[in-house]
Amino acid sequence: WPLISFPVDILIIAGGGSGGGKFYHAGAGGAGEALTAVGYSLFGGTSYAVTIGAGGADPSTATTGNSGSNSSLASLGVADGGGGGGRGYSFSAANAGADGGSGGGAGNDSGDGSYAQWDGGAATGSSYTGFTARGFRGGNMGSGTTGAPHGGAGGGGAGGAGGDVTRGSSWLPGPGGAGYAWLDGTTRASGGSGQRYTGTGGGSVATSGGGGKGEDGAGIAGDGTANTGGGGGGNDRDGNNGSGGSGVVIIRYSGSVTASGGTTSEAGGYAYHTFNSSGTFTP
């Protein structure tokens, strides 16, 4: 029998990266890459494996944050996990954010008084035929000689770059990069926000789209929200770093539910199949 084309809209989001490891002023994790497709043709009666990537775990040691894991729909589209945030104030080693689906934010300088420039991680996700790739770089740490660098940079999101550390006497941390609003109207895959040593500030606020807030000198760094691909917030002074949020795959088509797999729902004339964990989609 001939294969019957089954048109669907697809969202694939990878796991977000975690905030940078221990010590003050760590960078935040980047969001997982978001791959999107509209009117993509699957084949009726064919089973497609769905893999959901985990978020990057809290590194707990003085290292760059852990990157998130990839999410995929068979081999048709593979979204890259978000990059980990740069390590915090450490007196040694690099503090750059890691590359990933969206890049991790840079941590502060090496602690030797040079206030060196550190770059956020690059967005390295790949596009697949029929899909659009969405991911942005992590925020940078500006160089300078004024004041101590009391903040880390924001992680990149699927809708915008992570915020740079604002250079000056207060060195404000960078907010997380914006998330991406998909066809269902929900925003996901935002970057985590950088850590601020004391007080509150723009970099300490949770970002719409699942990115974790940076620690503000009194609290705990926020984790990326599960099944949004959000990046983890920059660490607090006790070494508690925000973990990345796990990924998600959503498939929708016009009409009522006729396919199988995931958690099903209907809204606005569409059937939705949401995968918060790995499984199989069969149209």
Side-chain angles (χ1 to χ4, degrees), residues 254-279:
S254 181
S256 57
V257 174
T258 57
S260 65
T263 299
T264 60
S265 60
E266 297 178 6
Y270 288 92
Y272 290 84
H273 294 253
T274 300
F275 290 84
N276 292 324
S277 59
S278 299

Side-chain angles (χ1 to χ4, degrees), residues 46-74:
T46 299
S47 294
Y48 297 88
V50 175
T51 301
I52 304 301
D58 173 355
S60 74
T61 56
T63 59
T64 301
N66 290 309
S67 296
S69 299
N70 298 348
S71 294
S72 62
L73 176 61

Side-chain angles (χ1 to χ4, degrees), residues 173-175 193-206 212-217:
S193 294
Q195 191 261 10
R196 180 180 173 89
Y197 181 64
T198 57
T200 58
S204 302
V205 179
K213 77 176 184 68
E215 194 270 337
D216 61 8

Side-chain angles (χ1 to χ4, degrees), residues 103-204:
N108 78 342
D109 82 326
S110 59
D112 61 3
S114 64
Y115 306 131
Q117 166 80 47
W118 293 106
D119 292 334
T124 58
S126 301
S127 185
Y128 289 77
T129 301
F131 286 85
T132 299
R134 303 178 188 278
F136 290 82
R137 69 164 180 84
N140 299 324
M141 157 124 183
S143 61
T145 57
T146 303
H150 286 173
D164 298 340
V165 175
T166 301
R167 172 181 164 181
S169 59
S170 59
W171 291 74
L172 293 176
Y180 170 70
W182 192 54
L183 298 171
D184 62 355
T186 299
T187 298
R188 303 175 179 87
S190 63
S193 294
Q195 191 261 10
R196 180 180 173 89
Y197 181 64
T198 57
T200 58
S204 302

